[in-house]
Amino acid sequence: MESGEVEAIAKKYGVSTQDAAFKAELCDLYARYVYSVLPPGDEDLKGSEVQAIIKFKRALGLDDVDAANMHMEIGRRIYRERLETSDRDADMEQRRAFQKLIYVSNLVFGDQSAFLLPWKRLFGVTDSQIDIAMRENAKSLYSSQLKSIGRGLDIGTLIDVRRAQLAYKLSDEIATEMFREHAKKLVEENISSALDILKSRIPDSLTQAVEEVNIVIKFNSLLTTLSKHPQADRFARGLGPISLGGEYDHDRRADDLKILYKAYATEVLSDGIVDDEKLAPLNELRNIFGLGKREAEGILSDVKSNIYRRTLAKAFNTELASVPSKAAFLQILCEKLQFDPELASKMHEEIYRQKLQQFVADGELSKEEVEALMAFQMRLCIPQETVDAAHAEICGQLFEKVVKEAIASVDGYDADRREAVKKAAQSLNLKKEAVMAIFSKAVRKLFLSYIQRAKEAGNRIETAKELKKLISFNTVVVSELLADIKGELSPTAETEASSVTSESEGEDDEYEWESLETLRKTRPDKELKEKLRKSVQKEITLKDDIPLRDRTELYETYLMFCITGETTNVSFGTAISTKKDDSEFLMLKQLGDILGLTRKEAQDVHIKFTEKAFVQQAEVILADGKLTEAKADQLAKIQKQFGLPTENAQKIIKGITTTKLSSAIEASVARGQIGIQQVRGLKEANFQLDSLISESLRESIYRKTVEEIFSSGTGDFDEEEVYVKVPADLIISAEKAKSIVQDIAKVRLENSLVQAIALLRQKKRDNVLSSLNDLLACDTAVPASQPLSWPTPGELDDLYAIYLKSIPKPEKLSRLQYLLGISNEKANKIRDAASEGTLPIAAAEEKEELTF
């Protein structure tokens, strides 16, 4: 309908278009049309409503004011219906209908809607509610428009979508977000389809899944290209590469995306060649899936690893077996696949280990299997040390199992066990070093269990019994087992030869200690050797498993057991000590070998034990600290009994007497009975002062000596004597000595002045002179930086006058003048008065003499 047609109808019936009644009819007609065009509350706008209303308004010839009033009337109607309903769903429908009215009305009247449509005044809605109505309806219309966009991305369609966005009054920000969401949905459809195909495991499922992924990559590339188009500003907003990273469910779907990425990479790189043309879509797909760089690299590494393994398996018995340079062939494979050579080397090792585990499943390696393993090593360029490590671990586990069964057997180490150990040692193709390492580990573990039980024993006797079990286990089981492993047919003869050799070693170093009774007994004589003729291994020890201190303590415990024997409790609380023969000392020697003690370390235990026993008896004899001739004879007999060398016995005796003397000297120092002169006397008598007198007491003697110098009344201070000679005699550092002198001098400097004034007031002239000399001595040690202060200067003048009368050395008189703060003018007057005999202090003294 056109406006001319409306005017023609009005003219036909003789009605004026300006007639109020006619205009009211037109407004009512317009309102009914607008209400009919707007969809119900539960339906979305179709997008044609605005243009239809504008066209009908123009046809009716209504001005904007009248038309706007009709929109307000429709709003009142919807508002009343909303108030009248009690149903929640109906209320929501009316709310949506009102929002659609606001949106359509604002678009119909454009910029004038702010003046023509008083939503806030009539209905109490806020600006934010109006914005929501505008945004949500625009989004609904734009969403419908986006459905026209597929994966082809026609330029004309993109332009139409942009025009629709502007017409719908939708912001670029929201339009961009909606376009991206639409594009992601398209991508997710392909991804879901690809995953379904993969999981279905139908024929060619991998190929079909890859086709779906290629569609995604092509679509993403097209989005990226169009975003850089010269006329991109005319296109729909939101063009650009897609990324599924950051989505709320990305973490949940990450595993599926990784599976799909791995499948795509496997198909693309299936020919074993990696180049930039193949890596470009892989990188693009990584960005689309939102995978981290490390994640993608890890997946590609797995894919390359699988391809490399397949290629290797295919070429192992063909190309790889025939090429002259195996390393060059493998290097080319890695370069084509851009596969890390280090990862390839690890794979070669893994393949070798798998093959080795397969071959040794029956407990041995045949000749053919050994040759096959050598072929794997050669063709895969596996280093010998890697092969040795694999054999040591895999074959070693089997050998270790056989060894443990042999050691822990309840029936003992019988012929069957012996044959099993020999077979395992020879048939598993293990190196001698590996065999020994495995055997040593198993044996040391059992050794440690014996040691642990020995440590947990309740007393020394029980500890020794557990150690004896350890020695027997080593002799009966370990030594024979080791001989079988090494293939030794005559272990006894070899042991004897090694025993002779070992005993000859270090003979010169131990000659002086052969007199020790306990050490001598560990060297068995011929008769005892015949009695205990048995092979005993010395290769496996606990040297690296137990600290030296613990090992020597265990050795010493068994040594004590060898000497004292086993104690048996009888009735009435008494105990009997069982006599031990010298065979116990031979077992002690074997214990030392098991503990990994060197001859020197074992010897030190014997020395320590003997010296300890000698010290205990010597301390009783020398309790008073005096060594008489009778006591010396008694100690000599004990020394001979223990076999202790004279030098060591004399050292112990001297140590005891010195300790006694030291205690007496320190007591005298504490009572103040020993000074520097007595110390020098001790030094001349060749006594070691640092062992006789503690450092603190020597410092105390030095402090006392310095205080005596500062209180001698002579005024002399000999720096060489105080700073050099006396510290040297007392073994005190020069720095420490100087610090002590300074501390004392600073305190006594002022005290000497106070003492001199006090004596002056008591009229003790001679004592005043002594105090002044002490003052000068302190000043010589620590020169004062300024004169001393005193509240009554006259008394200072009297002190100066008294010292002047003693006819002192000029330099001392001058220094005293400075310390007392007496000016030159006053000093000259005092000197003149002294010459004339008119000194007040002199007159007072003469008066006292006359009075007396």
Side-chain angles (χ1 to χ4, degrees):
M1 180 182 290
E2 298 294 335
S3 59
E5 295 178 6
V6 174
E7 291 178 355
I9 293 173
K11 187 175 181 181
K12 178 180 178 181
Y13 292 100
V15 179
S16 172
T17 57
Q18 301 301 320
D19 183 71
F22 184 70
K23 289 184 71 174
E25 289 292 335
L26 291 178
C27 288
D28 182 63
L29 181 63
Y30 175 77
R32 278 182 284 148
Y33 179 78
V34 170
Y35 190 80
S36 66
V37 167
L38 292 175
D42 58 344
E43 295 181 12
D44 294 328
L45 293 170
K46 298 179 178 59
S48 59
E49 292 86 355
V50 174
Q51 292 302 321
I53 291 172
I54 291 174
K55 184 177 181 181
F56 189 72
K57 178 171 71 71
R58 289 175 180 171
L60 294 178
L62 292 177
D63 58 22
D64 288 343
V65 175
D66 292 335
N69 288 334
M70 294 301 101
H71 283 260
M72 291 296 100
E73 283 299 324
I74 296 171
R76 290 187 183 96
R77 178 180 174 181
I78 296 173
Y79 191 74
R80 284 195 303 270
E81 291 175 353
R82 181 185 171 194
L83 293 177
E84 291 171 358
T85 184
S86 59
D87 184 27
R88 183 174 181 181
D89 293 336
D91 179 74
M92 290 301 299
E93 287 185 14
Q94 296 302 326
R95 182 188 296 272
R96 293 193 194 100
F98 190 73
Q99 287 179 338
K100 283 182 278 189
L101 174 65
I102 292 175
Y103 175 73
V104 170
S105 301
N106 283 353
L107 290 185
V108 168
F109 297 104
D111 296 336
Q112 296 181 6
S113 59
F115 306 101
L116 297 175
L117 303 172
W119 304 111
K120 291 186 286 184
R121 179 170 57 83
L122 294 180
F123 302 104
V125 296
T126 61
D127 289 335
S128 62
Q129 290 174 322
I130 294 174
D131 291 340
I132 290 172
M134 297 295 293
R135 182 179 68 245
E136 294 303 318
N137 284 281
K139 286 173 65 176
S140 176
L141 290 172
Y142 191 68
S143 177
S144 299
Q145 190 70 25
L146 287 175
K147 293 178 181 178
S148 62
I149 296 179
R151 296 171 183 82
L153 291 179
D154 176 68
I155 291 179
T157 304
L158 293 175
I159 294 174
D160 291 342
V161 170
R162 171 61 175 169
R163 288 173 179 168
Q165 175 211 333
L166 296 175
Y168 297 154
K169 300 296 181 181
L170 186 66
S171 68
D172 286 352
E173 181 181 357
I174 296 176
T176 299
E177 183 180 351
M178 292 182 67
F179 187 92
R180 290 187 180 278
E181 288 298 321
H182 177 70
K184 285 181 182 179
K185 286 181 180 178
L186 295 176
V187 169
E188 287 170 354
E189 289 175 3
N190 292 106
I191 291 174
S192 297
S193 175
L195 286 170
D196 292 339
I197 294 171
L198 273 181
K199 294 176 181 178
S200 67
R201 300 187 180 278
I202 60 175
D204 296 331
S205 59
L206 181 59
T207 303
Q208 295 180 33
V210 168
E211 290 177 359
E212 291 289 337
V213 175
N214 281 328
I215 293 173
V216 171
I217 295 174
K218 183 178 179 181
F219 179 50
N220 186 70
S221 299
L222 188 56
L223 286 171
T224 304
T225 302
L226 290 173
S227 67
K228 300 175 182 178
H229 194 278
Q231 298 183 3
D233 58 335
R234 298 178 59 199
F235 298 162
R237 294 296 183 261
L239 294 171
I242 303 168
S243 177
L244 300 179
E247 297 293 321
Y248 74 95
D249 61 344
H250 182 265
D251 292 341
R252 181 178 58 83
R253 301 176 54 193
D255 291 339
D256 288 341
L257 295 176
K258 290 177 184 178
I259 292 171
L260 190 57
Y261 184 81
K262 185 174 183 178
Y264 183 78
T266 300
E267 180 67 16
V268 171
L269 305 178
S270 59
D271 59 356
I273 299 175
V274 176
D275 53 27
D276 293 341
E277 185 178 350
K278 294 177 180 177
L279 289 176
L282 282 169
N283 290 332
E284 188 171 356
L285 186 62
R286 171 176 69 83
N287 293 329
I288 294 171
F289 285 176
L291 299 177
K293 188 175 181 181
R294 290 186 179 180
E295 286 180 310
E297 288 177 351
I299 295 171
L300 286 179
S301 179
D302 290 342
V303 171
K304 291 178 183 178
S305 178
N306 293 333
I307 294 173
Y308 182 81
R309 186 185 288 269
R310 288 200 301 269
T311 306
L312 204 59
K314 186 178 179 181
F316 188 79
N317 291 320
T318 55
E319 296 177 73
L320 185 57
S322 60
V323 294
S325 175
K326 320 296 183 188
F329 182 84
L330 296 173
Q331 182 66 28
I332 291 172
L333 282 184
C334 290
E335 290 175 354
K336 284 182 178 180
L337 198 56
Q338 294 186 16
F339 189 51
D340 188 351
E342 291 187 7
L343 296 178
S345 298
K346 291 181 179 179
M347 182 184 295
H348 299 162
E349 179 183 351
E350 181 184 350
I351 293 172
Y352 185 89
R353 293 171 71 90
Q354 290 175 350
K355 209 66 180 176
L356 177 60
Q357 287 176 332
Q358 177 184 341
F359 286 159
V360 299
D362 58 354
E364 60 180 327
L365 284 174
S366 65
K367 183 179 178 182
E368 294 76 15
E369 290 170 339
V370 172
E371 291 176 354
L373 288 171
M374 290 180 65
F376 271 92
Q377 179 185 0
M378 181 182 67
R379 294 178 191 178
L380 298 179
C381 302
I382 303 174
Q384 185 62 42
E385 55 269 21
T386 303
V387 171
D388 292 342
H391 278 263
E393 180 182 343
I394 297 170
C395 298
Q397 290 176 353
L398 297 174
F399 181 69
E400 183 179 3
K401 181 180 178 183
V402 174
V403 170
K404 285 182 177 179
E405 289 176 353
I407 293 174
S409 175
V410 178
D411 300 329
Y413 187 50
D414 54 16
D416 293 338
R417 300 291 181 186
R418 175 171 290 182
E419 188 60 31
V421 170
K422 286 182 179 180
K423 181 181 178 182
Q426 296 169 5
S427 64
L428 288 174
N429 200 30
L430 281 168
K431 288 194 172 184
K432 184 178 179 181
E433 295 79 5
V435 171
M436 287 301 300
I438 295 164
F439 180 64
S440 174
K441 179 181 177 182
V443 169
R444 293 200 319 275
K445 187 174 181 180
L446 284 171
F447 279 176
L448 288 172
S449 66
Y450 279 104
I451 295 295
Q452 185 62 32
R453 288 197 294 271
K455 288 182 176 181
E456 294 173 353
N459 52 59
R460 177 175 54 81
I461 301 299
E462 296 301 322
T463 298
K465 287 181 179 179
E466 290 296 332
L467 293 176
K468 195 170 184 178
K469 293 178 184 178
L470 167 63
I471 299 166
S472 300
F473 171 72
N474 181 59
T475 303
V476 176
V477 178
V478 178
S479 297
E480 291 187 11
L481 188 54
L482 180 59
D484 288 338
I485 290 173
K486 296 173 69 175
E488 299 169 349
L489 298 177
S490 181
T492 305
E494 182 178 339
T495 303
E496 287 180 357
S498 63
S499 176
V500 172
T501 303
S502 62
E503 286 179 8
S504 64
E505 293 175 357
E507 185 176 344
D508 294 338
D509 296 337
E510 300 174 11
Y511 179 77
E512 63 173 319
W513 296 105
E514 287 298 327
S515 60
L516 289 178
E517 182 183 14
T518 58
L519 186 59
R520 188 173 62 252
K521 288 182 179 180
T522 62
R523 316 283 194 260
D525 55 21
K526 206 169 191 182
E527 180 181 354
L528 188 57
K529 282 183 182 179
E530 291 296 328
K531 183 179 178 182
L532 299 172
R533 188 177 180 83
K534 188 71 177 176
S535 169
V536 180
Q537 69 85 23
K538 301 179 182 179
E539 298 179 41
I540 302 172
T541 71
L542 296 175
K543 180 180 179 181
D544 299 324
D545 300 283
I546 305 176
L548 177 61
R549 180 179 177 181
D550 292 348
R551 289 186 283 133
T552 55
E553 285 180 357
L554 291 167
Y555 186 85
E556 184 177 356
T557 299
Y558 200 80
L559 172 58
M560 178 68 74
F561 176 76
C562 292
I563 295 171
T564 61
E566 183 176 347
T567 302
T568 304
N569 294 322
V570 295
S571 58
F572 304 107
T574 59
I576 299 175
S577 180
T578 306
K579 180 68 177 177
K580 293 290 179 180
D581 58 27
D582 290 348
S583 63
E584 292 292 349
F585 284 93
L586 184 59
M587 296 186 75
L588 174 67
K589 174 69 167 59
Q590 294 173 8
L591 177 62
D593 294 335
I594 295 172
L595 293 173
L597 295 176
T598 63
R599 284 179 172 267
K600 178 68 168 60
E601 291 166 349
Q603 174 183 290
D604 289 342
V605 175
H606 285 270
I607 296 170
K608 177 184 175 183
F609 183 83
T610 304
E611 287 183 344
K612 185 177 180 181
F614 183 78
V615 166
Q616 288 176 349
Q617 297 202 27
E619 283 184 341
V620 174
I621 296 171
L622 299 172
D624 58 357
K626 297 178 182 179
L627 180 61
T628 62
E629 185 177 351
K631 292 180 180 179
D633 292 340
Q634 187 179 358
L635 290 170
K637 291 179 182 179
I638 297 173
Q639 170 199 337
K640 186 176 180 180
Q641 179 186 349
F642 287 159
L644 190 67
T646 303
E647 181 182 349
N648 290 70
Q650 290 299 322
K651 185 178 179 181
I652 292 171
I653 294 170
K654 184 178 179 180
I656 294 173
T657 55
T658 301
T659 301
K660 302 291 184 181
L661 179 60
S662 175
S663 300
I665 289 174
E666 290 198 355
S668 299
V669 172
R671 292 193 297 267
Q673 296 174 348
I674 292 182
I676 187 60
Q677 299 304 324
Q678 290 77 13
V679 168
R680 286 171 174 167
L682 291 170
K683 188 176 180 182
E684 291 174 1
N686 294 324
F687 283 97
Q688 297 294 328
L689 287 181
D690 53 349
S691 61
L692 283 175
I693 307 174
S694 66
E695 183 179 0
S696 60
L697 287 177
R698 282 184 272 121
E699 289 180 4
S700 177
I701 294 172
Y702 182 76
R703 186 179 297 275
K704 179 182 176 183
T705 304
V706 173
E707 288 178 346
E708 288 176 353
I709 292 172
F710 286 150
S711 61
S712 63
T714 61
D716 296 330
F717 182 80
D718 187 346
E719 291 190 1
E720 183 178 1
E721 174 72 13
V722 176
Y723 288 143
V724 180
K725 294 181 179 179
V726 176
D729 291 336
L730 292 171
I731 316 177
I732 296 175
S733 66
E735 294 78 9
K736 185 66 176 178
K738 196 164 186 178
S739 174
I740 292 173
V741 170
Q742 289 178 349
D743 291 342
I744 296 174
K746 288 177 182 178
V747 174
R748 293 193 65 88
L749 183 67
E750 294 184 358
N751 290 346
S752 296
L753 177 61
V754 174
Q755 187 176 12
I757 294 294
L759 293 170
L760 174 67
R761 293 174 180 175
Q762 297 174 21
K763 299 181 174 55
K764 296 181 180 180
R765 180 176 177 277
D766 293 337
N767 293 337
V768 169
L769 288 174
S770 296
S771 296
L772 292 176
N773 280 327
D774 293 341
L775 177 70
L776 290 170
C778 294
D779 179 66
T780 303
V782 183
S785 58
Q786 60 185 11
L788 302 174
S789 61
W790 190 254
T792 53
E795 290 181 321
L796 297 179
D797 296 344
D798 291 341
L799 291 177
Y800 181 77
I802 290 173
Y803 197 74
L804 177 63
K805 288 189 64 179
S806 67
I807 313 175
K809 294 180 180 180
E811 60 272 15
K812 287 190 175 183
L813 183 62
S814 175
R815 187 59 185 172
L816 182 62
Q817 176 188 337
Y818 171 77
L819 292 173
L820 298 178
I822 297 173
S823 64
N824 290 333
E825 181 181 356
K826 184 180 289 186
N828 290 332
K829 288 181 179 181
I830 294 174
R831 287 194 196 96
D832 293 342
S835 300
E836 298 172 359
T838 59
L839 279 173
I841 190 70
E845 289 176 356
E846 291 176 1
K847 183 177 179 181
E848 286 182 5
E849 291 175 359
L850 291 173
T851 305
F852 180 75

